[in-house]
Amino acid sequence: MPLTVIQIREQLTLNIDQINLRIQAAMTRSKQTESVQLVAVTKYTPLPVVQQLLELGDFALGENRPQQLVERKGQLPNAQWHLIGQLQSNKVRSVLPHVSMIHSVDSLKLLKRVVQFSRELECCPDLLLQVNIAEEQTKAGFRKEELIEVWDEICSLGTRQICGLMTMAPFTDDQHLIRATFQGLREVRDVLQPRSPDMHLEHLSMGMSNDFEIAIEEGATLIRIGSLLFKDCDQ
Ligand SMILES: *Cc1c(COP(=O)(O)O)cnc(C)c1O
């Protein structure tokens, strides 16, 4: 039997409370004083459940497919939408007016295009540069050395949209590897930031359902959570 609206809402409340407790505990352990924002990843979640979530709080919503994001923005226009998945060059124009943040700017070419269209369309979402810290074949993003190499060129674009970095840890049980990946992202930020005082790399978007606590311990300011947040909410 499908869940009633009340049951969905109760389950969501429970999930949110549990996640918030774990966020608080991780922040305490790490003496992290920055705030940590939870981005609710809605890519597998039916719209009515997303609507219930928004009744419970002012969550930013993350989608990984541009097309689904644009569709859902039409259905829930007041929410803040974040694109967290790969963006093809030919989708930049259509997605820009609908997003408040793009976590997944994964190449210089894409960045230039996003900056150019942002100026043309006069909509300037915040941008995070995605870094492939673990250098996995299957993942997108700048390699660490590559980003450090092209940083001056990035700064010379003169955009104020870039506000941090994003990464994804390898899909593994190896906690050390996961932690090393998140540390790696923070280190890249700490190399780039002093080179460009005009840039404000305040955000590190890292950590998902299985690894968000490690990410917070390593300095995450944005965590992207889907399955844990919507656990048991749509049967
Ligand atoms: C799906 C997705 C998430 C959320 O993953 P969960 O494990 O369900 O929390 C986070 N980031 C990106 C880029 C994703 O595609």
Side-chain angles (χ1 to χ4, degrees):
M1 239 186 24
L3 297 178
T4 65
V5 168
I6 291 172
Q7 286 170 322
I8 292 173
R9 199 185 281 230
E10 280 176 0
Q11 185 65 50
L12 276 174
T13 305
L14 204 69
N15 293 353
I16 294 167
D17 287 348
Q18 284 176 357
I19 292 170
N20 279 337
L21 282 173
R22 289 173 59 181
I23 291 174
Q24 286 307 327
M27 287 177 74
T28 307
R29 277 198 300 281
S30 65
K31 306 193 177 58
Q32 151 88 288
T33 51
E34 304 280 317
S35 67
V36 175
Q37 187 190 356
L38 190 164
V39 177
V41 177
T42 51
K43 63 187 176 195
Y44 300 129
T45 309
L47 199 69
V49 179
V50 181
Q51 279 168 320
Q52 288 310 309
L53 180 76
L54 291 176
E55 300 277 322
L56 297 171
D58 199 9
F59 293 91
L61 306 177
E63 283 285 339
N64 68 335
R65 288 177 38 229
Q67 199 170 333
Q68 181 159 317
L69 186 151
V70 172
E71 255 172 59
R72 290 189 151 190
K73 162 85 186 206
Q75 291 157 326
L76 296 171
N78 294 326
Q80 295 221 347
W81 291 92
H82 289 198
L83 182 67
I84 60 172
Q86 200 150 31
L87 177 58
Q88 286 162 335
S89 287
N90 62 355
K91 300 267 172 65
V92 171
R93 184 192 278 276
S94 59
V95 89
L96 268 184
H98 304 290
V99 288
S100 55
M101 187 182 281
I102 302 175
H103 293 231
S104 43
V105 179
D106 58 10
S107 71
L108 186 56
K109 181 165 162 270
L110 178 66
L111 175 65
K112 286 179 175 171
R113 205 174 163 86
V114 169
V115 169
Q116 180 201 336
F117 278 118
S118 295
R119 286 177 178 146
E120 276 182 41
L121 301 171
E122 295 184 22
C123 50
C124 303
D126 290 334
L127 306 177
L128 305 176
L129 304 176
Q130 182 172 351
V131 192
N132 186 356
I133 295 288
E135 308 210 351
E136 291 176 280
Q137 295 283 327
T138 52
K139 288 214 173 85
F142 292 85
R143 280 174 309 104
K144 185 173 165 175
E145 279 73 30
E146 179 193 2
L147 181 58
I148 291 171
E149 219 172 276
V150 298
W151 184 243
D152 288 341
E153 188 174 352
I154 290 176
C155 293
S156 75
L157 297 175
T159 177
R160 306 171 79 91
Q161 289 174 270
I162 299 168
C163 65
L165 307 176
M166 177 273 222
T167 199
M168 289 170 81
F171 186 70
T172 173
D173 289 333
D174 182 348
Q175 309 279 303
H176 296 291
L177 183 55
I178 294 172
R179 189 177 294 278
T181 305
F182 296 149
Q183 282 169 347
L185 192 70
R186 194 185 62 215
E187 285 163 14
V188 179
R189 195 265 313 273
D190 292 344
V191 168
L192 299 179
Q193 183 60 78
R195 278 174 56 183
S196 39
D198 290 347
M199 287 274 195
H200 299 289
L201 299 176
E202 59 185 297
H203 286 300
L204 295 176
S205 168
M206 53 190 197
M208 320 196 327
S209 291
N210 288 325
D211 54 24
F212 72 93
E213 287 152 306
I214 303 176
I216 292 170
E217 287 167 14
E218 299 304 332
T221 62
L222 292 161
I223 54 175
R224 312 176 307 268
I225 299 195
S227 43
L228 198 61
L229 179 59
F230 295 109
K231 187 165 68 84
D232 300 329
C233 285
D234 68 88
Q235 288 145 348

Short mmCIF file of all heavy atoms in Angstrom, two decimals, residues 41 43 64 84 166 168 208-209 224-227, ligand 1:
data_model
loop_
_atom_site.label_atom_id
_atom_site.label_comp_id
_atom_site.label_asym_id
_atom_site.label_seq_id
_atom_site.Cartn_x
_atom_site.Cartn_y
_atom_site.Cartn_z
N VAL A 41 19.25 15.51 -2.38
CA VAL A 41 19.36 15.00 -3.74
C VAL A 41 18.10 14.23 -4.10
O VAL A 41 17.79 13.20 -3.51
CB VAL A 41 20.62 14.12 -3.89
CG1 VAL A 41 20.69 13.52 -5.28
CG2 VAL A 41 21.87 14.93 -3.60
N LYS A 43 17.06 13.04 -7.16
CA LYS A 43 17.03 12.43 -8.50
C LYS A 43 16.18 11.17 -8.60
O LYS A 43 15.65 10.89 -9.65
CB LYS A 43 18.46 12.16 -8.97
CG LYS A 43 19.23 11.17 -8.12
CD LYS A 43 20.69 11.10 -8.57
CE LYS A 43 21.46 10.17 -7.65
NZ LYS A 43 22.91 10.31 -7.78
N ASN A 64 20.83 15.49 -10.75
CA ASN A 64 22.04 15.26 -11.53
C ASN A 64 21.80 15.31 -13.04
O ASN A 64 22.75 15.36 -13.80
CB ASN A 64 22.77 13.98 -11.11
CG ASN A 64 22.02 12.73 -11.46
OD1 ASN A 64 20.80 12.77 -11.58
ND2 ASN A 64 22.72 11.63 -11.62
N ILE A 84 24.02 18.86 -9.85
CA ILE A 84 25.17 18.15 -9.26
C ILE A 84 25.79 17.15 -10.23
O ILE A 84 26.80 16.54 -9.93
CB ILE A 84 24.76 17.42 -7.95
CG1 ILE A 84 23.66 16.39 -8.22
CG2 ILE A 84 24.31 18.42 -6.90
CD1 ILE A 84 23.36 15.52 -7.02
N MET A 166 34.21 20.83 -5.67
CA MET A 166 33.38 19.65 -5.38
C MET A 166 34.15 18.39 -5.75
O MET A 166 34.94 18.40 -6.70
CB MET A 166 32.10 19.75 -6.21
CG MET A 166 31.14 18.58 -6.08
SD MET A 166 31.46 17.20 -7.22
CE MET A 166 29.80 16.79 -7.72
N MET A 168 33.77 13.76 -5.57
CA MET A 168 33.09 12.53 -5.16
C MET A 168 34.15 11.52 -4.77
O MET A 168 35.13 11.33 -5.48
CB MET A 168 32.26 11.97 -6.31
CG MET A 168 31.04 12.81 -6.63
SD MET A 168 30.27 12.28 -8.16
CE MET A 168 29.33 10.86 -7.58
N MET A 208 28.30 12.15 0.66
CA MET A 208 26.97 11.68 0.28
C MET A 208 26.46 10.79 1.42
O MET A 208 27.02 10.79 2.51
CB MET A 208 27.04 10.92 -1.05
CG MET A 208 27.98 11.59 -2.04
SD MET A 208 27.89 11.13 -3.79
CE MET A 208 27.45 9.44 -3.82
N SER A 209 25.39 10.04 1.17
CA SER A 209 24.78 9.27 2.26
C SER A 209 25.79 8.40 3.01
O SER A 209 25.72 8.28 4.23
CB SER A 209 23.67 8.37 1.70
OG SER A 209 22.59 9.17 1.27
N ARG A 224 25.78 16.37 -0.04
CA ARG A 224 24.72 16.06 -1.01
C ARG A 224 24.13 14.69 -0.65
O ARG A 224 24.76 13.66 -0.85
CB ARG A 224 25.31 16.02 -2.42
CG ARG A 224 26.18 17.22 -2.77
CD ARG A 224 26.79 17.08 -4.15
NE ARG A 224 27.50 15.81 -4.31
CZ ARG A 224 28.80 15.63 -4.08
NH1 ARG A 224 29.56 16.64 -3.68
NH2 ARG A 224 29.34 14.45 -4.25
N ILE A 225 22.92 14.71 -0.10
CA ILE A 225 22.37 13.46 0.44
C ILE A 225 21.04 13.11 -0.20
O ILE A 225 20.12 13.92 -0.24
CB ILE A 225 22.23 13.56 1.97
CG1 ILE A 225 23.62 13.78 2.57
CG2 ILE A 225 21.58 12.32 2.54
CD1 ILE A 225 23.71 13.55 4.04
N GLY A 226 20.97 11.89 -0.74
CA GLY A 226 19.74 11.41 -1.35
C GLY A 226 19.16 10.23 -0.60
O GLY A 226 18.19 10.37 0.16
N SER A 227 19.76 9.06 -0.78
CA SER A 227 19.12 7.82 -0.30
C SER A 227 18.82 7.83 1.20
O SER A 227 17.78 7.35 1.63
CB SER A 227 19.96 6.61 -0.70
OG SER A 227 21.31 6.84 -0.49
C1 LIG B 1 23.14 10.74 -6.42
C2 LIG B 1 24.17 11.70 -6.03
C3 LIG B 1 24.36 12.04 -4.69
C4 LIG B 1 23.55 11.45 -3.54
O1 LIG B 1 23.86 10.11 -3.36
P1 LIG B 1 23.26 9.28 -2.12
O2 LIG B 1 24.25 8.20 -1.94
O3 LIG B 1 21.94 8.80 -2.56
O4 LIG B 1 23.20 10.18 -0.95
C5 LIG B 1 25.33 12.98 -4.39
N1 LIG B 1 26.10 13.55 -5.35
C6 LIG B 1 25.95 13.24 -6.66
C7 LIG B 1 26.83 13.90 -7.66
C8 LIG B 1 24.99 12.30 -7.04
O5 LIG B 1 24.85 11.99 -8.34
#
